[in-house]
Amino acid sequence: MASNSPSPEGIDVPETPTAGAWGEWNPTEDSARSVRGKHRVLKQRGGLARSSTVLGVGVIAAVGAGGIATAQDRPQVAISMPSLPDLPDLPDLLGGGHASGAAGADTAAPAAAAQGAGIPGQADGRGHGQADAGEALRHRILQQAESQQEAVETQARADAERTAREAAAQEARTQKEAADKEAETARAAAEKAAAEKAEADRAAEAAATTAAKAAEGGGSASGAGTKSSGGYSLPTSSYTLTSHYGDSGSMWSSGHHTGLDFAAPTGTPVKAVGGGKVVSAGWSGAYGYRIVLQLDDGTEVWYCHLSSMSVTSGTVGAGETIGRVGATGNVTGAHLHLEVRKGGSTVDPLAWLESKGLSV
């Protein structure tokens, strides 16, 4: 027997056990209880059974009796199995009923252990079922995540499209309001221009009426114009001479002025300077509306830039109204352009009128 030394718990444990150190151990019903339902120790009949179960129970009993030495304080304990005499085989030692029960227990224990521990072959079907269920759950989670992500992206696209539509609608409304404002401004300007034109026309008409009355009443104002005793008359009344015969400038196609300009309000009456016949009346390009009066001696008098023509043919007497002052053709303002032609050539209208006894 080897010497004993106290352990940390105060229990002597043999340091170097030898064969026969513990003597013979006979398990009882109380000490041979199955461990976790997996092992079952049978009562010995006539000797010790040679099995791994007896060895395991012996180790547990030795450790429980002597205590457990820690690795820091005690060296590892070597356990050896004493030599045992030859024993009869376990089936011969046990009875038929006990063998059947033991076999059933030994068979059930490994099966239960295999089922609990997941030993291949014993729980293979359940393992595959669990793997399939886990894969199905993972697949379902991924599908839900993809569905949620797609829903978020769809909502984002819808929000962006709605924002773009609202911005386009707002831009269209802004442009329409600006266009309406411009149209209103243009309409107001047109109405104002029309009102101003109507006012100017009324003023011109009133001035023409006043001038006509003054001419018919024999007014003596400058430029009023009266009949001469020789049967000649000034072409218009209430006028201002602006351009004379022979004036040079780029406004005239021939490089110099070929007539005499009587500036007067639009609508001022235009009269025949002498008795004669109207040989032409109508549009004449740069001259605008023009009337050509041929006097009895063959002299032609041209009345140009008229706004209207009262006589377009036939015979007229001196002082008779044949048209009205205007601004048609190549002009810069309302006036009567008077030309006097003899034998197809122009002469100075001012000198010709004065030769007829008229004061221009």
Side-chain angles (χ1 to χ4, degrees), residues 45-50 85-93:
R45 296 183 181 179
L48 181 62
R50 290 178 297 177
D86 293 335
L87 298 175
D89 293 336
L90 185 61
D92 296 337
L93 181 63

Side-chain angles (χ1 to χ4, degrees), residues 25-29 31-35 38-44 48-49 51-58 106:
W25 174 70
N26 295 321
T28 64
E29 275 187 64
S31 63
R33 293 176 182 176
S34 60
V35 180
K38 296 182 181 180
H39 303 282
R40 180 175 181 182
V41 178
L42 302 178
K43 183 184 294 184
Q44 182 177 359
L48 181 62
S51 67
S52 59
T53 304
V54 175
L55 178 59
V57 174
D106 292 341

Side-chain angles (χ1 to χ4, degrees), residues 20 112 148 156 193 226 310 313 339-340:
Q148 292 176 357
T226 58
S310 302
S313 62
E339 285 190 13
V340 178

